[in-house]
Amino acid sequence: MISVIVPIYNAQKYLLRTMHCLQKQTFSDFEVVLIDDGSKDDSATVLKKIQAEDARFRYVYQENGGVSAARNHGLE
């Protein structure tokens, strides 16, 4: 299985398009770890909806710590 870690901060505008591209991959044995790095927009709502629709997507929230902290959190 491949794990894809996606750090997210205030990206509501781009999330659906990005997630749909990931969902359409021909390789199906993967998980997507969505790390919300304390977004102030409505990213969390979009991410939770995606998680509910597709079991390969997992939403994780953390207080804002930057992209490196978000990636490290995803590795855990």
Side-chain angles (χ1 to χ4, degrees), residues 11-66:
Q12 174 188 0
K13 181 177 175 181
Y14 310 101
L15 287 176
L16 284 178
R17 182 175 179 195
T18 302
M19 297 306 116
H20 288 151
C21 286
L22 287 168
Q23 287 175 316
K24 292 179 181 179
Q25 296 305 304
T26 57
F27 182 79
S28 61
D29 192 22
F30 69 91
E31 69 173 344
V32 180
V33 183
L34 306 165
I35 308 295
D36 181 356
D37 191 31
S39 294
K40 305 284 187 222
D41 64 2
D42 209 23
S43 292
T45 302
V46 175
L47 295 170
K48 288 175 184 177
K49 181 179 184 227
I50 291 165
Q51 175 182 253
E53 294 172 356
D54 192 329
R56 297 175 296 180
F57 290 73
R58 189 166 47 115
Y59 171 75
V60 178
Y61 177 84
Q62 73 172 26
E63 293 295 323
N64 184 263

